């Protein structure tokens, strides 16, 4: 079970978020001997994964889904399930005695002199530095056009989806072009042959084979240095411009076999029981599953200069222009793999040096002795 912790009145570093990014950061801070606490609004470590849909499996293999300092156990599936990953995160927190305070929602972070003050559901805490590790997947994005659909059309965002029974039978549109949309379109189609499932992707999906020459695609990417390519590198910019790649060709096969229909156009409007697409066509639906991602929103960060005018984090490689404020777990934060668990190890190590400098520590000894 998790290390039980109390919310202190004052601490050197406050880590907001107890998912993989927050725990990986806690590991680095523990190794460096820094006084810190992790606050998490969930009741139990790993609950952020337990809340995802029932059949969810990671699209990253076990070897690339571990945090620094603890591999996933050999009993874990090659592609870990949501439960396996959730249990792993719980074991990780216990193994490294990470001080996680659960059931604690941060409502405001402000600046007072050289310190930060965090107001939480359990009281306030002062910190010399703050690491925001909540990630970008907190506030579901549902296109406004959904409000124009008839109330008889069932609508659900992927973050609220659990299993096919959540949606009615009939014609279902899965709107989105990423891994979640592909996985759920196939699941819905396979759950009942009478269901008519259409994946509505904004552009032609980019299907990436799971294996190359018998190896998981992640190994060539790692050996060639692509997986850890700097975010500003040419290869990273190219991949970023292609949009989300879909690992595996199961959805591609389902489209070819006619089990899933594919429409490559954006949803721009809705009328009664139909979605209106940018190409001028319409799609009549009984239900819509919105796999449209999440919006950037950090209302609790109330520090001048921390956010853009649109509410996105201002940072360079996770380092805010506000002294003592840091971010981790953001897509393309430093590298191509910053958005998957594999990237947490390197990103957290890189973030430690400027954080220790801010605290007045000498970073070289700590960073040199820790595994990357």
């Amino acid at each position: 079970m998790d290390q039980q912790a109390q919310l202190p009145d004052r601490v050197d570093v406050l880590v907001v978020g107890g998912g993989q990014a927050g725990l990986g950061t806690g590991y680095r801070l523990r190794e460096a001997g820094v006084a810190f606490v992790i606050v998490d609004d969930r009741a139990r470590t790993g609950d952020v994964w337990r809340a995802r849909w029932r059949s969810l499996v990671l699209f990253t293999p076990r070897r690339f889904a571990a945090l620094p300092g603890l591999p996933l156990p050999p009993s874990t599936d090659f592609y870990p399930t949501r439960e396996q990953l959730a249990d792993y995160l719980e074991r990780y927190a216990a193994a490294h005695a990470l001080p996680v305070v659960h059931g604690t929602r941060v409502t405001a972070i402000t600046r007072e002199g050289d310190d930060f003050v965090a107001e939480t559901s359990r009281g306030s805490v002062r910190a010399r530095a703050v690491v925001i590790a909540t990630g970008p997947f907190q506030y579901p994005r549902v296109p406004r056009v959904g409000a124009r659909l008839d109330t008889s059309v069932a609508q659900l965002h992927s973050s609220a989806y659990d299993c096919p029974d959540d949606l009615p039978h009939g014609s279902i549109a899965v709107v989105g072009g990423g891994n979640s949309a592909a996985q759920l379109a196939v699941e819905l189609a396979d759950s009942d042959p009478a269901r008519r499932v259409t994946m509505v992707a904004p552009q032609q999906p980019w299907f990436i084979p799971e294996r190359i020459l018998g190896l998981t695609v992640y190994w060539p990417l790692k050996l060639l240095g692509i997986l850890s390519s700097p975010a500003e590198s040419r290869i990273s910019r190219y991949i970023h411009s292609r949009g989300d790649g879909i690992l595996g060709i199961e959805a591609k096969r389902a489209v070819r076999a006619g089990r899933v229909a594919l429409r490559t156009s954006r949803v721009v409007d809705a009328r009664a029981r139909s979605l209106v697409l940018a190409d001028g066509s319409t799609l009549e639906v009984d239900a819509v599953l919105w796999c449209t991602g999440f919006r950037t929103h950090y209302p609790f960060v109330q520090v001048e200069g921390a956010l853009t005018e649109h509410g996105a984090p201002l940072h360079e490689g996770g380092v805010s222009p506000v002294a003592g404020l840091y971010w981790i777990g953001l897509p393309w934060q430093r590298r191509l793999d910053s958005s998957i668990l594999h990237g947490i190890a390197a990103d957290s190590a890189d973030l430690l040096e400027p954080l220790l400098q801010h605290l007045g520590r000498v970073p070289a000894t700590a960073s040199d002795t820790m595994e990357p």
Side-chain angles (χ1 to χ4, degrees):
M1 296 297 291
D2 291 343
Q3 173 81 7
Q4 297 300 312
Q6 299 296 319
L7 187 69
D9 295 327
R10 179 182 290 273
V11 72
D12 280 344
V13 181
L14 173 68
V15 180
V16 182
Q20 58 263 20
L23 296 178
T25 301
Y27 169 81
R28 299 299 187 193
L29 294 171
R30 174 69 81 197
E31 289 292 293
V34 175
F36 71 99
V37 70
I38 301 171
V39 294
D40 188 45
D41 62 355
R42 306 277 179 163
R44 180 183 172 193
T45 296
D47 276 355
V48 66
W49 286 97
R50 294 185 185 95
R52 304 295 297 277
W53 69 83
R54 197 176 304 177
S55 65
L56 173 70
V57 294
L58 270 69
F59 57 86
T60 46
R62 179 179 61 234
R63 166 62 178 79
F64 297 91
L67 294 174
L70 186 70
L72 273 85
S75 59
T76 307
D77 292 347
F78 185 77
Y79 291 107
T81 68
R82 67 165 193 176
E83 292 291 342
Q84 288 172 338
L85 185 61
D87 292 346
Y88 164 74
L89 293 180
E90 193 169 40
R91 286 194 298 272
Y92 186 89
H96 297 298
L98 301 181
V100 183
V101 183
H102 293 108
T104 306
R105 177 174 290 276
V106 175
T107 56
I109 294 176
T110 57
R111 193 74 181 266
E112 288 189 10
D114 293 333
D115 289 344
F116 296 91
V117 177
E119 299 296 337
T120 81
S121 56
R122 291 180 181 266
S124 63
V125 56
R126 298 182 73 93
R128 296 174 61 193
V130 172
V131 180
I132 307 296
T134 56
F137 309 124
Q138 303 298 318
Y139 296 87
R141 180 191 292 119
V142 177
R144 294 180 180 178
V145 299
R148 301 190 189 119
L149 284 169
D150 191 89
T151 55
S152 63
V153 175
Q155 297 187 61
L156 201 63
H157 188 271
S158 59
S159 60
Y161 173 88
D162 181 57
C163 66
D165 290 342
D166 292 341
L167 294 171
H169 297 275
S171 178
I172 300 177
V174 179
V175 180
N179 279 279
S180 295
Q183 285 187 25
L184 295 181
V186 171
E187 174 171 282
L188 286 165
D190 289 349
S191 68
D192 183 356
R195 269 193 169 124
R196 300 180 303 281
V197 179
T198 302
M199 182 176 169
V200 184
Q203 59 188 16
Q204 186 66 31
W206 179 23
F207 295 102
I208 303 172
E210 292 182 32
R211 293 183 176 274
I212 296 177
L213 299 178
L215 297 173
T216 171
V217 68
Y218 282 88
W219 275 117
L221 292 176
K222 179 177 175 61
L223 295 174
L224 293 173
I226 296 174
L227 195 59
S228 57
S229 296
E232 67 277 6
S233 69
R234 181 178 298 179
I235 185 64
S236 290
R237 290 200 306 270
Y238 168 74
I239 293 174
H240 198 184
S241 70
R242 288 290 305 267
D244 291 339
I246 298 174
L247 186 69
I249 58 174
E250 187 176 1
K252 186 176 183 179
R253 288 173 177 161
V255 170
R256 286 180 173 174
R259 289 163 32 226
V260 173
L262 175 63
R263 302 277 283 272
T264 53
S265 187
R266 293 185 178 276
V267 176
V268 295
D269 203 353
R271 300 170 190 159
R273 297 179 59 83
S274 296
L275 297 175
V276 180
L277 307 186
D279 60 11
S281 66
T282 60
L283 177 63
E284 187 171 345
V285 292
D286 296 302
V288 180
L289 181 59
W290 299 103
C291 298
T292 43
F294 298 78
R295 60 190 176 95
T296 302
H297 195 47
Y298 298 91
F300 61 91
V301 179
Q302 299 168 13
V303 179
E304 185 176 357
L307 303 173
T308 69
E309 61 179 322
H310 302 295
L314 270 173
H315 71 97
E316 185 173 340
V319 179
S320 170
V322 177
L325 181 64
Y326 307 91
W327 303 83
I328 192 165
L330 301 177
W332 303 98
Q333 177 168 313
R334 284 179 176 267
R335 300 171 177 83
L336 187 152
D337 64 353
S338 286
S339 61
I340 63 174
L341 274 85
H342 182 264
I344 296 298
D347 282 0
S348 61
D350 288 344
L351 206 62
L352 185 65
E353 183 171 336
L355 197 155
L356 291 179
Q357 288 177 336
H358 175 76
L359 296 176
R361 304 289 190 92
V362 178
T365 301
S367 61
D368 287 348
T369 57
M370 286 184 290
E371 64 175 291

